[in-house]
Amino acid sequence: DREVIERITSRYDMTMHGHLGEQIKVIDDDFAHRFSILGPAPLCIDRIGEVFATGIDRIIVNPVNSGTLQEQRESIERIAAEVIPAFR
């Protein structure tokens, strides 16, 4: 993990924060899945449930800004409709 984080840091471009800049090229799927919550709604629900089971009672949802504005909007709408209701 340290090696990946060092490579991310050395390539990080703040102008591409939240987008698919150079930093994304050093993140493999395993790293992404261990340090973020992403994927289909049922997987996200399971992972968020695991986080809440540790005693954490709040999370920040920040969809990746790599798509068009319409795709970002659709992503937020899916989270609101398919993920958040599981925790009400």
Side-chain angles (χ1 to χ4, degrees), residues 8-57:
I8 292 168
T9 302
S10 71
R11 295 179 181 204
Y12 202 81
D13 178 355
M14 281 301 293
T15 64
M16 296 300 292
H17 182 76
H19 299 278
L20 300 177
E22 280 294 311
Q23 60 270 16
I24 199 74
K25 294 177 182 176
V26 298
I27 299 173
D28 62 23
D29 287 347
D30 179 60
F31 186 90
H33 283 281
R34 284 186 293 121
F35 290 97
S36 62
I37 298 174
L38 55 110
L43 177 61
C44 292
I45 291 167
D46 289 346
R47 294 286 311 278
I48 293 169
E50 292 170 2
V51 171
F52 287 160
T54 69
I56 293 172
D57 62 358

